[in-house]
Structure formats: C-alpha cells, structure tokens
Amino acid sequence: MEPKEYDSGQKPAWCAGCGNFMLVHAVRQALAELGKDPDKVVITSGIGCGSKLPHFIKTYGFESLHGRPLTVAMGVKLANRELTVMAISGDGDAYGIGGNHFIHTCRKNPDITYIVQNNSVYGLTKGQYSPTSPKGFVSPTSPDGSVEPPVNPMAWAITTGATYVARAWYMDPQQLKDMIKGAIEHHGFSLVDVLMPCLTFNKVYGIDWYKERVYKLYGHDPNDRVAAMEKAMEMDKLPTGLFYQEKRDVYGDELPKLNGPLYRQDVTRIDLTKAMKPLR
Ligand code: SF4
C-alpha cells in the first residue's frame, strides 16, 4: 500500500511548521510499509493539537476525552484482538491528565502502540505549562515560572513495565517512521515519545535547543534494562532511538474468553439466569 491511501482527505489546521505534519506522514508511511488494512486499524486520541491526528488518517478513529485515549484503546483491543490498535496524544494528555492510565497500561502490557507528541506545553489551550515543561517555565498558569520538576517519560515507561520504549526526533523522518513501525510490530505495550517543538507557545524548547541536544543511540543494547535506564536518565543530552524492548505476557492473551472478536463469540453457551435473578 502507499502512504496516500491512508490520507482521509481532511486538511489539518495546525500552525505552519508544526511537527504534527511530519508525524501524520510517518504514521501513514509505517502503516503502508506494514501493509495494514485500513479497515483493521483503530487510532484513538485524547484532546489537543496532535489528538486531531485520527481525523487525517483513513482508518477507524476515536477522539476521546482529555487524557483518556488509552482507556478507549484498551476497550477496542479487548473487544477485538485482531485489530491493530494505536493511541495518540500530547505530553499533557499522556503524562498529566492521563498519567495514571499511562503507568497502569505500561504495567498491564496490552498490545497497543502509544505515540506521544512531546512538545512540553499545552498547545491547543494556548501555552500552559505541561508535565514535561522545564522547572521555571513561564506560562499563563505559571506567570512566575513553574515550581515543579518535569516528569521523565522514558524512565516512567521502563520502570512501570512498557515492553517497547522509544524516543524519536520529528526532524528525522526515517527514524520517526522506523520507531513507529517497530512499535506496531511489537507484541505488547509500546511507547514512542516524539520530541517536537511547539513553535507558537514554547519559546524555551525551540528547534535550535533540540538540535544542540538530540543524538541517535549507537551501540546500545535495547534488551539491557539497566543500560536503557541510564539512557533515560540523561538530561543534558537527548538520546533518540529504541531504548528498551522485552518479550512479556500480554494483557488479553491469557483471557481465553477474549480469544477472537466478541462479535464471533458463541453467546448461546452463556447462562445469564443467575446474574439476572436479583434484577427481576
Ligand atoms: Fe503545533 Fe503548537 Fe501550533 Fe498546536 S499550537 S498546532 S502544537 S505549533
């Protein structure tokens, strides 16, 4: 298949130069290279600039509540494990409002790919500081500078149980597509944290700021959890690539009743008499 076959025809209203343009193309490319049938792919999202992304990809999509793309993705996957399920949201959606869902989804390890557009600010709501904003970040909700240190999504994902943990830089389209493709192919919960500037509202982390810090992992063993944590804890530089990957039991696989889509289940063998009795 070709990437253009995943183009819904809808036009994004993102600011000129927004990293989401690169991301939407990378997702289409990854799906095309994997030959995914658009009818068998579901992309859920939360609320935010990047959470509009399902509108622009010709698969099934579900724009949910703020911070809740993973809950919907989990429901979809458990209802029909034959589907390729992806969730997309921004750093505020993923690591703030949906932070609790994020760590418990890592722990459960369902077969879902999670892509987070990490620009360290809430863009759609006009520039409030987010969980990945640096300490001291001046914004409408922190006029004297934020007093909280930022979260470390990579360390969070590795320690709470995600089984594919990658970071990509939006200006490296090959790497971005490869990390997303690897995440979709991985059987288990995958995080691809995508670094990109918000040109409109984040004047601290601009393109040059990233360019001085971003580098590609080289000679790193993604099966080595300790080495992955060392890379995750690097703060002065920003390594990109596949930090960590492991094979582990996947949530849903060990639930025999969910073997196959729910619509194909034989409901005649289920006796609801006992459950219905108190309701009569
Ligand atoms: Fe992109 Fe920021 Fe504009 Fe939103 S506000 S579309 S994140 S550049």
Side-chain angles (χ1 to χ4, degrees), residues 13-20 49-50 119 121 123-124 196-201:
W14 294 317
C15 308
C18 176
N20 282 311
C49 293
N119 56 19
V121 77
L124 187 71
M196 59 171 74
C198 172
L199 303 175
T200 307
F201 291 112

Side-chain angles (χ1 to χ4, degrees), residues 4-5 13-14 17 19 27 52 61 76 87 93 99 115 122-123 129 149 159 168 178 194 209 237 271-273:
K4 62 174 187 291
E5 292 175 76
W14 294 317
V27 173
K52 302 279 178 206
V76 173
D93 205 64
I115 300 172
Y122 283 94
Y129 76 104
T159 52
D178 286 346
V194 184
W209 186 93
K237 292 282 180 189
D271 183 5
L272 291 174
T273 319

Side-chain angles (χ1 to χ4, degrees), residues 17-277:
C18 176
N20 282 311
F21 288 102
M22 302 288 272
L23 181 58
V24 77
H25 183 65
V27 173
R28 286 178 191 148
Q29 253 188 324
L31 290 171
E33 286 185 19
L34 291 170
K36 292 285 178 188
D37 179 350
D39 285 348
K40 296 278 190 304
V41 178
V42 180
I43 305 178
T44 70
S45 69
I47 299 293
C49 293
S51 290
K52 302 279 178 206
L53 199 131
H55 295 245
F56 314 122
I57 301 192
K58 202 168 128 194
T59 59
Y60 285 98
F62 193 120
E63 198 175 347
S64 72
L65 300 175
H66 217 342
R68 300 296 177 263
L70 288 177
T71 55
V72 180
M74 179 75 107
V76 173
K77 190 68 194 184
L78 292 183
N80 188 348
R81 284 175 24 227
E82 291 174 2
L83 298 173
T84 295
V85 181
M86 302 168 74
I88 293 192
S89 59
D91 46 285
D93 205 64
Y95 307 135
I97 297 154
N100 187 24
H101 296 276
F102 175 66
I103 56 175
H104 288 285
T105 309
C106 290
R107 180 174 67 83
K108 289 175 182 170
N109 194 35
D111 187 16
I112 293 169
T113 295
Y114 197 21
I115 300 172
V116 180
Q117 305 117 324
N118 187 354
N119 56 19
S120 300
V121 77
Y122 283 94
L124 187 71
T125 45
K126 307 214 179 307
Q128 297 88 344
Y129 76 104
S130 84
T132 52
S133 301
K135 191 172 179 185
F137 190 81
V138 175
S139 76
T141 44
S142 54
D144 298 322
S146 63
V147 293
E148 303 146 46
V151 299
N152 183 329
M154 309 308 283
W156 235 9
I158 295 165
T159 52
T160 56
T163 49
Y164 179 105
V165 183
R167 182 194 270 153
W169 164 232
Y170 89 114
M171 285 189 95
D172 186 339
Q174 177 78 33
Q175 181 197 56
L176 182 56
K177 183 259 298 172
D178 286 346
M179 291 300 110
I180 293 171
K181 203 172 147 187
I184 296 170
E185 284 182 304
H186 174 77
H187 188 54
F189 185 63
S190 321
L191 169 72
V192 183
D193 184 77
V194 184
L195 299 177
M196 59 171 74
C198 172
L199 303 175
T200 307
F201 291 112
N202 192 337
K203 303 298 180 195
V204 180
Y205 289 177
I207 293 179
D208 290 340
W209 186 93
Y210 281 108
K211 276 186 175 168
E212 283 165 19
R213 291 164 176 82
V214 165
Y215 77 94
K216 273 190 194 177
L217 283 173
Y218 183 73
H220 168 71
D221 176 7
N223 301 125
D224 184 338
R225 202 173 196 199
V226 174
M229 273 305 288
E230 277 170 11
K231 289 294 163 194
M233 296 308 290
E234 264 185 48
M235 300 295 171
D236 47 343
K237 292 282 180 189
L238 295 166
T240 59
L242 179 58
F243 282 52
Y244 185 62
Q245 184 165 24
E246 77 164 289
K247 222 172 154 190
R248 189 160 63 77
D249 287 347
V250 171
Y251 190 85
D253 284 3
E254 60 285 35
L255 299 171
K257 287 204 169 113
L258 294 177
N259 194 10
L262 288 185
Y263 72 85
R264 265 201 240 133
Q265 304 284 322
D266 176 15
V267 289
T268 55
R269 68 187 166 81
I270 300 168
D271 183 5
L272 291 174
T273 319
K274 206 172 155 195
M276 295 300 286
K277 210 171 172 187

